[in-house]
Amino acid sequence: MADPYRSREGLSTRPAAYGGYSDEVQVRIDPDFDDEVTGLRKQVRRLRDVAQEIETEAKFQNDFLNQLQMTLIKAQAGMKNNMRRLNKSIIREGSSHVMHVVLFALLLFFVVYFFAKFSQR
């Protein structure tokens, strides 16, 4: 543990010039740092481009969700209006047609039941 501040390429301890303090740090700049800085700049540029793509996609999806929400609100209003008209029609015409629908459903059920029962033989 002669160099406690030693990094990958640049930092190392140096002997104290005075007073015996050995905690001072000396920085040596290697020529490879320029290549590393250039590589980091390219990576930062790519990350920025990705972040801009994400922002564009998020805005697009937000607009799409807003349009979908408006469509659902309109559909809900239309359904509410149709239900109101249907209820008024049922009240005005009476509920005899509901009885006809129920009887038809029961008759259809029994026909399918007997058909299924006799077709197994």
Side-chain angles (χ1 to χ4, degrees), residues 2-121:
D3 291 330
Y5 298 107
R6 181 95 175 128
S7 74
R8 196 165 43 130
E9 288 140 358
L11 299 178
S12 63
T13 58
R14 64 179 177 182
Y18 61 90
Y21 294 108
S22 64
D23 291 337
E24 297 175 4
V25 177
Q26 174 184 359
V27 177
R28 278 185 283 147
I29 299 177
D30 292 337
D32 293 336
F33 280 158
D34 288 337
D35 294 337
E36 286 186 35
V37 168
T38 303
L40 287 174
R41 283 186 180 150
K42 287 179 184 177
Q43 289 178 352
V44 167
R45 207 172 295 127
R46 276 191 238 138
L47 285 173
R48 186 190 66 215
D49 293 342
V50 168
Q52 288 174 345
E53 290 280 333
I54 290 171
E55 179 184 15
T56 303
E57 183 67 22
K59 285 180 181 179
F60 172 77
Q61 289 187 8
N62 192 22
D63 291 342
F64 177 74
L65 286 175
N66 287 337
Q67 290 175 354
L68 183 62
Q69 185 177 16
M70 289 302 296
T71 303
L72 287 175
I73 288 171
K74 289 177 184 177
Q76 188 177 23
M79 283 294 291
K80 186 176 180 181
N81 195 14
N82 287 337
M83 287 298 292
R84 189 178 320 127
R85 279 194 264 162
L86 185 61
N87 285 334
K88 285 180 183 178
S89 173
I90 288 173
I91 290 170
R92 186 178 39 218
E93 299 294 325
S95 60
S96 65
H97 68 285
V98 174
M99 178 72 94
H100 291 129
V101 170
V102 170
L103 288 174
F104 176 73
L106 285 172
L107 179 69
L108 185 64
F109 172 75
F110 283 117
V111 168
V112 170
Y113 173 75
F114 287 122
F115 180 72
K117 188 171 186 172
F118 290 121
S119 68
Q120 289 179 358
R121 293 181 184 179

